[in-house]
Amino acid sequence: MDYLPMLRKDKFPHIWCEGCGDGIALKAIIRAITNLGLDQNKIGMVSGIGCSSRTPGYADFNTLHTTHGRAIPFATGLKMARPELTTIVVTGDGDATAIGGNHLIHAARRNINLTVLLYNNFIYGMTGGQVSPTTPMGDIATTAPYGGLENTFDIAGLTVAAGASFVARCTVYHAKLLEKLIERAIAKKGFSLVEILSPCPTAYGKLNKKGKPKDLILDQKEQGVRVEKAKDMSPEELQGKTIIGVLTDRELPEYIATYDKITSQAQRRYL
Ligand SMILES: Cc1ncc(C[n+]2csc(CCOP(=O)(O)OP(=O)(O)O)c2C)c(N)n1
Ligand code: SF4
């Protein structure tokens, strides 16, 4: 398959470090969009700021590279104004769960038809390795030299609880599964989120002595457990594992559909 028309070749070489998972995630997104047969001119891709948020710079869609933490509000405005566009947010764990955490919760609660692809690398990559809400407790960051003291967000659990229609988790090691999950998330009507575990060897890996870039990817192979298999495993067996696959897929009222219905009823009342 020829993916090159979906890439902005003049923007290469990209900024990502050797062994960063973000390039694998970009390829999975492009493959998913190709599989769905979507017109690249009918896609809106919005990001905040961070290494992950550079993704729309390389993808030849209608793209918005916005401000740190605010990708979801920009995407909400775009989707409300141009509902015919398939609107995808690409964001990082810092972008979406620290500075932008409230936006994430409320967009899920609203169940607006957006797809959020959240690259979780457990740290602020672009700015050199500050602690993030997903840094595992006790792990090192430049702002947590003795180890993070705070509990870790379960992003998928958070968005399920807030009311999202579709939530999945995957690693970049499981690239084929990732492609399929992104496909399902985009096709789903309502708020959908795929948490993509994407290793950052340069900041997280180095600070936490995780070995060579390839070792972080191989750890993902070791840790990933399909949700179907995890159901039969005990909490002890699941210790240190990452459950991957579809975590929630449910039918709930979608915000724009409800909004359109109510506003047209209200307008009729005043005619
Ligand atoms: C309002 C604001 N605060 C802080 C920054 C600095 N900043 C840029 S990227 C970033 C963190 C990025 O971390 P994450 O979202 O996890 O993405 P990653 O780089 O790890 O992919 C920060 C704090 C900024 N650009 N704007
Ligand atoms: S700093 Fe980390 S997240 Fe950023 S490009 Fe390098 S490896 Fe990837």
Side-chain angles (χ1 to χ4, degrees):
M1 220 174 279
D2 185 12
Y3 305 109
L4 285 181
M6 291 213 199
L7 292 174
R8 293 192 174 120
K9 291 170 280 299
D10 57 318
K11 297 291 181 201
F12 284 77
H14 57 71
I15 64 158
W16 294 318
C17 312
E18 185 188 347
C20 178
D22 293 4
I24 303 175
L26 169 61
K27 181 86 183 281
I29 297 169
I30 287 179
R31 281 200 305 251
I33 287 169
T34 308
N35 297 345
L36 288 167
L38 297 175
D39 175 350
Q40 71 194 94
N41 296 314
K42 300 272 172 55
I43 293 170
M45 183 178 267
V46 185
S47 72
I49 301 291
C51 300
S52 39
S53 289
R54 281 294 295 159
T55 301
Y58 308 123
D60 198 4
F61 308 129
N62 302 290
T63 56
L64 285 172
H65 190 195
T66 70
T67 53
H68 189 46
R70 311 298 172 215
I72 289 177
F74 275 93
T76 300
L78 176 65
K79 189 69 188 171
M80 292 296 288
R82 297 284 304 275
E84 75 282 9
L85 293 182
T86 297
T87 303
I88 300 168
V89 173
V90 179
T91 180
D93 45 278
D95 200 62
T97 71
I99 187 169
N102 224 21
H103 299 305
L104 174 68
I105 295 167
H106 289 284
R109 179 177 70 86
R110 212 171 277 135
N111 200 36
I112 185 164
N113 193 13
L114 299 176
T115 298
V116 174
L117 305 176
L118 196 160
Y119 300 6
N120 182 5
N121 58 12
F122 308 133
I123 210 152
Y124 286 8
M126 179 166 266
T127 42
Q130 294 83 1
V131 74
S132 116
T134 64
T135 307
M137 209 184 211
D139 278 5
I140 307 292
T142 55
T143 47
Y146 304 106
L149 303 175
E150 294 167 331
N151 220 329
T152 307
F153 261 151
D154 168 2
I155 295 171
L158 184 74
T159 39
V160 171
S165 277
F166 181 92
V167 178
R169 189 190 294 114
C170 201
T171 78
V172 296
Y173 173 82
H174 302 86
K176 283 304 283 179
L177 174 65
L178 179 60
E179 172 187 332
K180 291 292 157 212
L181 294 174
I182 295 173
E183 228 179 285
R184 282 184 62 179
I186 293 174
K188 184 76 186 181
K189 194 158 187 213
F191 188 86
S192 58
L193 177 135
V194 184
E195 179 184 355
I196 304 171
L197 297 169
S198 175
C200 169
T202 304
Y204 178 77
K206 205 175 209 171
L207 288 165
N208 290 286
K209 303 191 176 15
K210 295 285 181 188
K212 296 205 169 81
K214 74 167 170 48
D215 296 325
L216 279 99
I217 300 255
L218 291 173
D219 284 349
Q220 294 195 328
K221 178 185 180 190
E222 195 61 38
Q223 288 157 5
V225 178
R226 296 288 285 258
V227 68
E228 297 79 10
K229 189 174 172 204
K231 286 194 181 102
D232 300 322
M233 292 170 69
S234 66
E236 292 74 30
E237 287 171 314
L238 284 171
Q239 200 68 36
K241 299 288 182 195
T242 306
I243 300 177
I244 56 173
V246 176
L247 305 175
T248 292
D249 185 359
R250 55 190 174 178
E251 300 309 318
L252 294 169
E254 191 277 324
Y255 181 77
I256 296 178
T258 311
Y259 181 92
D260 284 348
K261 201 166 121 200
I262 288 173
T263 48
S264 63
Q265 278 168 357
Q267 275 160 2
R268 272 202 300 277
R269 210 172 297 146
Y270 291 103
L271 281 179

